[in-house]
Structures are given as C-alpha cells and as structure tokens.
Amino acid sequence: MYNKGLFHDWVPKPVQLLLIVLLMAVVMPLGGVYSGNISYMVGGTGALSENYIFANYATTIGMGASMPIVLRLKLRFKIRDKIATVLILLGILNYINATTLEPSVIIASSLVLGFLKMIVAIELFLPVMAMIGNRGMFYGVFYTFILVMNQIVGYYAVKVSILYNWQQFFIIISILCFILALIQWIFMHDQYFALKVPLYYIDWLSIIFFISTFMFSAYVFSFGKQQDWLNSDKIINASIAAFVSFALLVTRQIHLKRPYLSFRIFSKNNVLHGLFMLFCLGMFLGTTSIQNIYAVGVLGYDQLTNAQLSLLMIPGIILAGFIAVIWFKKDIPLKIYIFLGFSAMLGYSIIMYFSMVLEFNYESWYLPMFLKGYGMAALFIGVWYYTLDKLELNDMLAAIGLFLVWRTFLTVGLFSALFSWFQYRFQIESLGNLAVYMDGLTVSPQNVASNIKAIQLNAIIASNKKIFGYIIWAGFAILGYVMTHHFGEERFKYGRFIRVLRGKSVIAKRRVKENRQIAEELKDAAGPVI
C-alpha cells in the first residue's frame, strides 16, 4: 500500500499545510553554528573563531553529501518512521552542540546535522511543489520563505545569546525538534511513498571522498588567514589532501555503474554558464565579511544591532520572490530577471563604496540592504532555475549535491577568504600612505595616543573602499556578460521564419509546447530536491 502524501487522510488539508509550514520553519534554517553566535561561542569556549566558521561550512557540506541519495532514502523507509527518527536525531545533535565545549565535536555534529536535515527537506518539497505546480513559481515561493526565515532565526539566535547564553538557543531548537517529532508521529501516515528500493546501490565510499574533499577545502578557507596561508604546512597538507580526495572521487565515478555524482552535466552550456553566474553571486555574498568589519569594527555596532541589518534585507527578498512568481507564471525569459538581480547587488556595492564613512548612520542602511536582499533572492531563484533547466532527471539528481556545495560553500568561502586577505594587505598599505602625513607638525608626540584610533579606522575604511571598488568594476563586467548571453534562446530566427512561410508554424508551436510539458513533468518530481 503506497501513499504519496505525508499525512493521514483524516487530517484536513489546511492542517496539513500548517504542519508542513511549521516543519519547514524549524528544519530549513537549522545549522550547527549561527554566524551571529560565533563571538559568544568563542567567549564561552575559549576556542578560535575559525573553528566555528569551519563548523558553519561543515553544515553545507553535509547537505551536499546527502542530496544525491535523499530520493533513494525516501523510497526505502516509511515516511513517519523516517521523519520522526531524523527529527529526534536533529534534537540530539543540537543538544550536543549546546553542552559541549570542544570545537571538533561541534564541527562533526554540524556535518551530520546538515546530512540529516536534507532527508527531512525532500519530504517537504514534493507536496509544496505539487500544490504550486510550476517549478519556477515554486522556487520563488520556497526561496523567499527560506531566506526570510534564515534572517529571522539568525537575529533571534543573537538575541537569545545576549539575554541568556549561546547554549540556550540550541536547547530551544532541540526541544522544538522533539515536539515536532511527536506531532509528526501523530499525524503522518505509516506507509511507503512508492515501491521499496534497496540501499546497497548507494556508494558510501564516494560519499566519504566527497566529504573529505570539501572538508579539507573548508579547513583551508577557515584557517588560511590564521595559519598564514602557504607559509603553513597544515594549509599545504590540507590542500593536497583535498586535491587527492577529489581525484579519487572523480576516478571512482568513472568506473561505477551507478555513479554517486554525474560529471556529464558539465558538457551542458547552461550548466557551465549557470555555475559561472553562481560564482559571481558568491563574490557579492562574500562582501558580508567586509560589511561586518565596517559595522562592528568601525561604526561600533554590537552583535544584536549588526544582526538587525540582516532583517533589513527581508523587504527586498519578499519583492524578489513576488516578482519571480509573476515572471514564471507568465513564462517571461530569464535574462532581464537575472540582470536585475545582479544590478541590485552592484547597486548595493556602489552605495557601500560611497557611503563608507565614520558618520554613517543606521537609517542609511535601508536602501543598500534592500538591494542586497532583492539581488540575493533574485539570483538564488533565477540562476538556480537556469542552471538545472535542461538536465535530465538522473543527471540532475546525481549532480545536485555538487551544485549546492559550489553555490553555498565554495564560492562564498573562497571570496570571503580572499577579501579577508586583501582587507588586511590593503589596510597595511593604507597605514603606510597615511604615515606620509604624520610628522611632528601634524601629530605631536603628545597627541599620538588620541589619534591612533582615528588613523586605524580610516585605514580600515580605505581598505574596504578599495575592495568594493574592484567589486564594482567586476560587477559592470558581469552585467555586460548577462546582457550578451542568450539564456537558451535561439540566436537566429531564420528557421522559424521558414516554418511560418510554409504554414507549419502551428504544428511547430504545438510540438514545442508538448515537449516542454513532458520535460516539466519529469523535472517537477525532482526539481524540488534543491
């Protein structure tokens, strides 16, 4: 007996929707570490902040490792048993994070948490996708909801840490997971989704290679600055280990009958261009590290005020999602939508470049954060849709984990580490430039101590402005690239004109429509995996 829904038949539809939304609101923002809490975790454990940045990356890596096998796990276990068990495990992992003082335990817990999180997420995507019907419209609704929840959860993680301590927020999440497990056990049915499939087709060794590849890379990105990059044997050894693990992963996929990852997708034009645009998005998202340095280090904001800046992105996120729903409903080409997303991120960078001064007030954050929220949501929706648009079902499922890690970890981690290194170098250069004007006439020996702080702050501002300047130049180049890219449209219309002359335009349009419907039906079953 199979049941493709989640709940018993006696559960009313509005209650089912409420339970799905509640489960998404708790599970999707889950993380082993929350960025606003890192300073409090450092103070509470006495460990380096790089450990918790590493743990934050580990959550994304666990999500990516889980993606290629979530559908097989969905077909193997009964829905109620799987959801309840995973929620209990998530509650236990959050409790471990709340009670341990060992960073390595939090890193391992974050990796497993990300892996388990996506097992629950796949169960939520399919019913919501079935209700909406259109994959693009689903992305508009889904990403809007998730990005808004991420900002809200990040804010309250900081607020609870200030009122109580950083452990209490993990305890609250743990209790919520246990309560949800009980609720889902009551309302979910105990039947299989479809025909039961075995698990021995899963290549666990490939999963180990996948995790080791990106965990070693995460170590390099997290500890690179602290270890002085290539001057450290640990960074060099971790880089070599990441390369060897990736080589073993690729070699094993070539010889497997059912590969864990598919590399055939890189022959697709839209995949390559989509990955490049995700790389460009990572550059803009990496500016968060510069923004935090400016807000906390220069303007003197506390962690709660800094977290409130993320809430200012919510109106932009909602607007981008609303426009996306209309855009995909009317089947408008993606070029302008993606162009507007990159334009918003470029606008954010330009405003930050010209507004980065010591007198910057809180109200001045409204416009740049609105643009950043709009650009982030629009590019998450539009670029992700375009990247996966022409993939076959099996290739999409096999490559989805690699795309997720590329979008959320590799690109953002790379640019965050790169900006951090440049910020330090440019700051030293700025201090050298300012030293030209410091002598006994401009700064007397008695006033050195009182002026040294202003000198340091101005050096930070000059360094940040220089980085934003390079980002702006790159942003204009990205806009030119987007406007010249075809986004899957036919470059030449001569063939279509001939069909019209021959009276075959009606038949041609009908065939195109039928092929599109068939492709969408296949993707609708797998697209929500992301």
Side-chain angles (χ1 to χ4, degrees):
M1 189 70 179
Y2 306 127
N3 190 332
K4 296 186 182 298
L6 294 179
F7 304 98
H8 289 291
D9 295 334
W10 51 266
V11 181
K13 297 296 183 183
V15 176
Q16 293 186 22
L17 181 60
L18 177 63
L19 292 173
I20 292 173
V21 172
L22 181 62
L23 196 57
M24 289 179 63
V26 174
V27 173
M28 295 309 299
L30 275 182
V33 170
Y34 300 93
S35 57
N37 271 3
I38 290 179
S39 60
Y40 301 104
M41 297 178 75
V42 170
T45 62
L48 293 173
S49 61
E50 286 79 6
N51 290 288
Y52 303 110
I53 297 174
F54 190 11
N56 194 23
Y57 290 150
T59 303
T60 303
I61 295 169
M63 294 166 59
S66 177
M67 278 297 188
I69 65 172
V70 287
L71 279 185
R72 183 164 290 274
L73 294 175
K74 176 178 177 62
L75 297 174
R76 174 60 180 82
F77 300 103
K78 294 181 179 180
I79 291 177
R80 184 179 68 179
D81 298 343
K82 181 178 64 176
I83 295 296
T85 302
V86 171
L87 285 172
I88 292 172
L89 292 175
L90 290 174
I92 293 173
L93 290 172
N94 276 276
Y95 181 77
I96 291 174
N97 288 347
T99 54
T100 186
L101 297 178
E102 182 59 44
S104 58
V105 175
I106 296 179
I107 292 170
S109 173
S110 301
L111 177 66
V112 179
L113 188 147
F115 190 92
L116 296 175
K117 169 182 171 179
M118 300 315 296
I119 298 176
V120 178
I122 185 63
E123 300 292 350
L124 306 177
F125 298 155
L126 294 179
V128 177
M129 180 68 195
M131 286 187 290
I132 297 177
N134 182 288
R135 188 163 59 94
M137 294 173 61
F138 166 75
Y139 289 169
V141 174
F142 170 75
Y143 274 120
T144 301
F145 178 80
I146 297 305
L147 291 174
V148 169
M149 288 304 304
N150 283 340
Q151 313 313 316
I152 294 175
V153 169
Y155 170 76
Y156 279 102
V158 177
K159 190 169 185 178
V160 172
S161 299
I162 293 175
L163 294 176
Y164 305 100
N165 54 55
W166 63 270
Q167 292 99 331
Q168 291 301 317
F169 189 77
F170 288 104
I171 295 293
I172 293 172
I173 296 297
S174 179
I175 293 173
L176 287 176
C177 289
F178 292 141
I179 294 174
L180 281 177
L182 178 60
I183 293 175
Q184 304 307 325
W185 184 266
I186 295 173
F187 291 101
M188 281 188 168
H189 64 73
D190 58 348
Q191 298 171 348
Y192 288 99
F193 176 79
L195 183 66
K196 183 179 177 181
V197 298
L199 291 181
Y200 56 78
Y201 288 140
I202 297 176
D203 186 55
W204 297 103
L205 185 58
S206 293
I207 297 178
I208 294 174
F209 287 152
F210 181 94
I211 292 174
S212 63
T213 297
F214 295 109
M215 287 297 283
F216 282 121
S217 302
Y219 179 85
V220 173
F221 292 155
S222 303
F223 287 89
K225 182 179 178 181
Q226 189 264 340
Q227 296 284 339
D228 197 17
W229 297 102
L230 296 180
N231 293 320
S232 169
D233 292 337
K234 291 182 179 179
I235 296 298
I236 294 175
N237 293 335
S239 302
I240 294 173
F243 177 79
V244 171
S245 299
F246 184 72
L248 293 173
L249 175 65
V250 174
T251 303
R252 185 162 181 82
Q253 305 317 299
I254 295 174
H255 297 90
L256 283 178
K257 183 179 179 180
R258 299 178 181 86
Y260 170 71
L261 295 175
S262 173
F263 295 100
R264 294 181 302 174
I265 58 169
F266 295 108
S267 62
K268 303 286 187 180
N269 183 271
N270 64 301
V271 170
L272 296 177
H273 285 278
L275 290 177
F276 175 72
M277 285 186 280
L278 291 175
F279 181 80
C280 298
L281 172 60
M283 179 190 69
F284 287 110
L285 295 181
T287 57
T288 301
S289 60
I290 310 175
Q291 177 186 309
N292 290 336
I293 291 173
Y294 176 61
V296 178
V298 177
L299 300 180
Y301 289 172
D302 56 30
Q303 291 297 328
L304 185 62
T305 305
N306 190 41
Q308 287 176 343
L309 297 180
S310 298
L311 298 181
L312 300 180
M313 293 194 295
I314 291 180
I317 294 172
I318 294 175
L319 178 63
F322 177 76
I323 294 176
V325 171
I326 298 176
W327 209 277
F328 286 106
K329 184 177 182 180
K330 296 186 176 181
D331 200 20
I332 304 174
L334 278 174
K335 175 182 287 189
I336 300 302
Y337 185 75
I338 294 177
F339 179 83
L340 292 175
F342 278 116
S343 298
M345 297 302 280
L346 178 60
Y348 159 78
S349 301
I350 293 174
I351 293 175
M352 292 306 299
Y353 177 85
F354 286 106
S355 302
M356 196 164 286
V357 293
L358 292 173
E359 298 79 18
F360 196 80
N361 57 45
Y362 188 82
E363 289 72 19
S364 301
W365 286 103
Y366 292 163
L367 179 58
M369 297 308 292
F370 173 84
L371 293 174
K372 185 178 181 180
Y374 177 88
M376 179 176 65
L379 295 175
F380 264 61
I381 296 167
V383 176
W384 195 251
Y385 179 91
Y386 173 69
T387 305
L388 300 176
D389 190 33
K390 296 181 179 180
L391 295 185
E392 296 180 0
L393 183 62
N394 293 333
D395 291 340
M396 178 190 294
L397 297 179
I400 201 73
L402 197 60
F403 287 168
L404 179 64
V405 173
W406 171 264
R407 182 196 67 185
T408 310
F409 156 60
L410 275 179
T411 58
V412 178
L414 174 62
F415 279 107
S416 296
L418 195 63
F419 291 158
S420 178
W421 184 82
F422 275 116
Q423 204 277 341
Y424 176 72
R425 296 297 177 183
F426 290 159
Q427 188 175 336
I428 294 176
E429 180 182 335
S430 299
L431 286 173
N433 295 334
L434 290 172
V436 175
Y437 302 98
M438 289 186 289
D439 53 30
L441 296 177
T442 57
V443 180
S444 63
Q446 294 80 9
N447 295 329
V448 169
S450 60
N451 286 284
I452 193 67
K453 181 178 180 181
I455 294 170
Q456 182 68 31
L457 294 180
N458 279 282
I460 294 174
I461 290 176
S463 175
N464 290 351
K465 287 174 73 73
K466 193 170 184 178
I467 295 174
F468 269 115
Y470 286 120
I471 293 172
I472 290 169
W473 282 112
F476 281 114
I478 293 169
L479 291 184
Y481 159 78
V482 172
M483 287 305 295
T484 56
H485 183 55
H486 55 84
F487 284 95
E489 295 182 357
E490 293 183 21
R491 299 187 182 184
F492 304 102
K493 306 297 183 180
Y494 180 76
R496 183 178 300 174
F497 180 69
I498 292 298
R499 287 199 300 270
V500 172
L501 291 180
R502 294 180 179 178
K504 296 182 178 180
S505 60
V506 176
I507 299 175
K509 290 180 181 178
R510 185 183 305 163
R511 288 177 179 174
V512 170
K513 185 177 180 181
E514 291 174 354
N515 291 337
R516 183 180 300 173
Q517 288 177 347
I518 294 173
E520 288 298 326
E521 289 174 359
L522 288 175
K523 291 177 183 177
D524 286 351
V529 172
I530 50 191

